[in-house]
Amino acid sequence: MLGGGGLVAVNVYASATEGGWDQSAQGQTAQVLSAPTVYCPDVGSRLTDVPDGARAEVDGELAELDKQIAGAYQQLKDSAEAIRQNPELADQTIMNPLKEQRSGTLQRIGDAIDREGDRPQGLDDLAACTLRSTDQGGGQSTSPQDNGGAGNGGAGDGSSASPSQSAGTGTGAGGQGGNGPVAADYVDITTVQPDAKNPAEQSGGSTGTFASSCGVNANGLFNSDNVIVAPGVSNGAHHFHDYIGNQSNNAFASDQDLANADTSCADKGDKSTYYWPVLRLQNGKQERDADKPGGGTEGNAGQIVTAKQVTLTFEGNPTSKVTEMPRLLRIITGDAKAFVNGPGNANASWSCTGFEDRQLKDKYPLCPQGSDVVRTFRFQSCWDGRNIDSANHRTHVAFEAADGSCPNGFKAIPQLVQRIVYDVDAPSLQDGGRTVPLFAVDSFPEQLHKPVTDHGDFINVFDEGLMRKMVDCINSGRTCGAGAAEQPPAQSPEPAPSETGNPATPPSEPASSEPSEPAQPSEPAQPSEPASSEPSEPAGAGGEEPSEPPAGTPATETTAPAGSTGLPRVYETASPKKSAGGVISKPTQRPETTTPSATAAAPAGQETATAPGTEPQTQPQAVQGGLAETGADLWPAALGALLLAGGAVLLWRTRRTSA
């Protein structure tokens, strides 16, 4: 009986404490089940008129403010247990010192602007920060929007939900570092209603498209800099970026460095730089930044996923012709701080192949089997006609209005549509990603890896001659560019349910409606190495470029060997595809402030109701493991229970015989 009872107790305890990451990570997670985040008023959004002579110093000081917040957030995590026992410690040791640091930085910003022009008013009022509970373990967070959010000119980069809309119910604290994401940050794409809308094209519009082919960053060019927002500041982004195109982009790259750089683009006339936060699997893998700023020390941990496909399409304007982008024009779309800033500048769009007529602003998609995760950025497409940048990196460009027109004084320019596809499985939410790992974008520490914080950055370094060809192509209604053959097809209708009641698996690459020439057999390219714990160093200027087949040649897929661990496949180049034809809805003057997804994710293991007479939809891939797996793990406890029961029966019979 004692042996059986011991087996039961030990096995049940072991199963209850088992997790998807190492024990130290679980300890961190346990400490932040009701994790607060640091909310500070956004300073960059208030600085809409910084004199040119003060911009470099102001940008450096703004980056210092981000560094201070990141440091305070790290202190908050490290002191979680002590603060839980004595809440006053948070103010004494973290928030009050943070206010003093910010006061000094804001003073220097004011002085720098004062030397060149008029000192901005009200900077001192932005020094104080507050702790906001996000209740990562299962409650609601406090929205920061009582402080006004980012407003029209917020300096960050992202989408459309307040923290209270995004946090919701979670499984544990979420994430390897305990700072997100949580289960409520995901939703089954098949439960979302189609929402694609496009302004009607008019007779004077420009209907052509121009595409550039720049690879998928298979050569692993990453850093945690942001040369637009924090030039000259190492780790200015506090999260890692993927880079394609220009191979010399770091915090210290000058305009001349960018102009002289190598490029991963097929057309060497495109030396533009395209970058975005990396996507990671929260699987405990040690990347090269695991113990470095911007990486693991700031909560960005796990395996970096190489995209399966990246398409870069420049589109026209439905109401007018487009004009050339000025060389070295800088555009940021979305808001990297949207979780605490509010959704004013958010512009995230998440979906799945085969379902791109439905776009998520504040959720990661759970895609059915055979469908891939898609991130889409539609950049601002109206330019003020004068500036290649602005003090807050926003006001020199704008979004079209709902009818496609630009604001007064702005000119229509080609709109960059950036589409990134990942071969990642829907995570197993019911066990916190232990069976199938969670995925999430890198973020500032206090942003908790929320999907609403997704953002993209672009610097135009096209040759002027190639830019003229782009504009002529778009204005004349043609399809041009080195990446034209790689464009995705028009949205396919949703697959019909199969006889078993499960919808047919949407193809990741639906067939084109036009007959195509059969592909000529070619010598396969060497497979790329998947992201590992020791990836190669980033290629700088003069580094070896990833090999790319001619346009129209299918990419060679690197398949995992038998018995592999199921890591994401790495594709060297994008597969040939046709133009998307306006699947993604275009933002209006500002990105729409949308409510959370039409249908929230159902609790793990709970089936979705279906209308009478219709076949039920498949569960998302997240619903895995469950009772069968738990039973397999608890067989020692079952054996112990049998021993315990057998001992009890034997004891009872012995006592009866004795009596």
Side-chain angles (χ1 to χ4, degrees):
M1 289 179 67
L2 288 173
L7 271 174
V8 171
V10 170
N11 185 232
V12 169
Y13 176 78
S15 297
T17 57
E18 185 178 12
W21 310 297
D22 60 31
Q23 294 302 312
S24 62
Q26 288 190 7
Q28 294 170 6
T29 298
Q31 290 178 359
V32 284
L33 285 177
S34 187
T37 193
V38 178
Y39 169 70
C40 299
D42 191 71
V43 177
S45 64
R46 315 296 177 94
L47 302 178
T48 57
D49 188 21
V50 177
D52 290 344
R55 281 196 188 176
E57 186 173 351
V58 169
D59 283 342
E61 296 296 348
L62 289 174
E64 182 64 23
L65 291 175
D66 288 334
K67 183 178 178 181
Q68 292 163 2
I69 297 172
Y73 187 83
Q74 187 62 49
Q75 282 182 275
L76 191 64
K77 289 177 61 181
D78 294 343
S79 308
E81 185 58 36
I83 291 172
R84 193 164 12 251
Q85 295 176 11
N86 182 6
E88 293 181 359
L89 281 178
D91 281 338
Q92 296 170 6
T93 62
I94 299 174
M95 303 309 294
N96 290 339
L98 176 61
K99 180 180 179 180
E100 293 177 8
Q101 290 178 321
R102 285 174 59 86
S103 293
T105 304
L106 292 169
Q107 178 69 34
R108 292 191 294 273
I109 289 175
D111 291 345
I113 297 175
D114 193 33
R115 288 193 294 268
E116 301 288 337
D118 296 329
R119 188 184 191 91
Q121 300 300 309
L123 282 183
D124 293 343
D125 298 336
L126 306 179
C129 300
T130 56
L131 289 180
R132 299 295 175 93
S133 174
T134 61
D135 199 2
Q136 292 279 87
Q140 296 294 320
S141 63
T142 304
S143 169
Q145 296 185 57
D146 53 351
N147 268 337
N152 291 327
D157 305 39
S159 170
S160 64
S162 69
S164 60
Q165 295 166 335
S166 294
T169 302
T171 300
Q176 293 170 100
N179 65 339
V182 296
D185 291 326
Y186 300 82
V187 68
D188 178 1
I189 194 67
T190 65
T191 68
V192 179
Q193 294 300 311
D195 60 358
K197 299 175 185 177
N198 286 299
E201 294 177 353
Q202 301 181 17
S203 58
S206 42
T207 60
T209 61
F210 184 95
S212 195
S213 175
C214 301
V216 295
N217 195 25
N219 57 323
L221 178 55
F222 309 113
N223 63 48
S224 58
D225 301 342
N226 192 326
V227 72
I228 297 178
V229 176
V233 179
S234 182
N235 191 38
H238 296 274
H239 53 262
F240 260 47
H241 287 126
D242 263 315
Y243 291 88
I244 63 172
N246 200 289
Q247 298 293 287
S248 291
N249 190 339
N250 59 43
F252 307 97
S254 66
D255 290 348
Q256 195 61 43
D257 292 333
L258 296 175
N260 293 338
D262 289 335
T263 179
S264 67
C265 300
D267 191 326
K268 302 307 176 187
D270 182 9
K271 295 187 177 183
S272 301
T273 179
Y274 309 85
Y275 58 105
W276 54 84
V278 299
L279 188 81
R280 294 187 197 248
L281 296 179
Q282 305 244 321
N283 58 4
K285 298 277 185 181
Q286 295 292 300
E287 286 284 8
R288 67 178 181 222
D289 64 340
D291 59 349
K292 295 180 174 60
T297 63
E298 296 184 74
N300 295 308
Q303 179 183 2
I304 294 174
V305 182
T306 301
K308 174 179 178 178
Q309 181 189 32
V310 178
T311 54
L312 306 169
T313 310
F314 294 87
E315 298 182 353
N317 182 285
T319 65
S320 68
K321 302 300 182 185
V322 296
T323 190
E324 297 169 20
M325 291 183 181
R327 189 167 170 82
L328 298 170
L329 174 70
R330 287 147 163 84
I331 308 180
I332 297 173
T333 196
D335 185 356
K337 302 175 184 176
F339 181 58
V340 295
N341 278 351
N345 289 301
N347 191 25
S349 284
W350 292 86
S351 190
C352 303
T353 54
F355 297 89
E356 289 177 71
D357 57 348
R358 51 197 87 181
Q359 295 289 316
L360 302 170
K361 300 295 184 184
D362 62 341
K363 305 287 183 187
Y364 293 118
L366 299 174
C367 302
Q369 190 169 4
S371 176
D372 295 322
V373 172
V374 183
R375 298 164 73 180
T376 303
F377 301 113
R378 299 193 74 100
F379 283 70
Q380 295 89 317
S381 57
C382 300
W383 170 53
D384 68 6
R386 299 182 305 277
N387 302 296
I388 61 170
D389 200 2
S390 50
N392 62 2
H393 313 293
R394 291 191 180 278
T395 51
H396 64 299
V397 289
F399 286 99
E400 303 166 353
D403 63 358
S405 62
C406 285
N408 289 336
F410 282 70
K411 301 177 180 181
I413 56 174
Q415 181 178 43
L416 171 59
V417 181
Q418 195 166 269
R419 179 174 176 272
I420 311 166
V421 181
Y422 297 93
D423 181 9
V424 291
D425 292 329
S428 52
L429 301 183
Q430 82 287 352
D431 64 2
R434 181 173 63 86
T435 307
V436 182
L438 305 173
F439 63 81
V441 294
D442 270 17
S443 72
F444 283 90
E446 74 282 1
Q447 303 300 315
L448 307 182
H449 299 99
K450 298 297 181 185
V452 72
T453 66
D454 203 11
H455 58 282
D457 300 73
F458 166 71
I459 303 176
N460 168 39
V461 200
F462 273 86
D463 287 350
E464 292 180 359
L466 186 59
M467 177 59 66
R468 282 193 294 271
K469 289 181 181 178
M470 176 198 294
V471 168
D472 181 64
C473 171
I474 293 172
N475 286 338
S476 60
R478 292 178 287 133
T479 299
C480 317
E486 301 174 0
Q487 297 306 295
Q491 177 71 34
S492 302
E494 185 172 344
S498 65
E499 294 180 0
T500 61
N502 296 334
T505 300
S508 57
E509 295 183 8
S512 168
S513 58
E514 297 179 7
S516 59
E517 293 280 327
Q520 295 297 320
S522 60
E523 185 173 335
Q526 291 296 320
S528 302
E529 290 292 326
S532 65
S533 59
E534 297 181 1
S536 58
E537 287 295 306
E544 185 177 346
E545 297 168 10
S547 59
E548 296 202 23
T553 304
T556 301
E557 179 183 328
T558 304
T559 54
S564 71
T565 56
L567 297 179
R569 296 190 297 276
V570 177
Y571 289 71
E572 288 195 306
T573 60
S575 301
K577 293 196 172 186
K578 287 191 171 290
S579 174
V583 170
I584 314 302
S585 59
K586 295 187 177 184
T588 54
Q589 176 72 20
R590 288 195 303 152
E592 295 179 10
T593 302
T594 12
T595 56
S597 310
T599 307
Q606 178 178 323
E607 295 184 3
T608 20
T610 54
T614 62
E615 296 290 349
Q617 293 180 317
T618 53
Q619 292 279 5
Q621 286 172 268
V623 184
Q624 300 177 13
L627 189 58
E629 181 180 327
T630 303
D633 289 341
L634 293 178
W635 68 265
L639 177 60
L642 286 174
L643 287 172
L644 187 61
V649 171
L650 181 61
L651 180 61
W652 177 74
R653 291 183 60 125
T654 302
R655 293 185 64 181
R656 280 191 65 185
T657 302
S658 299

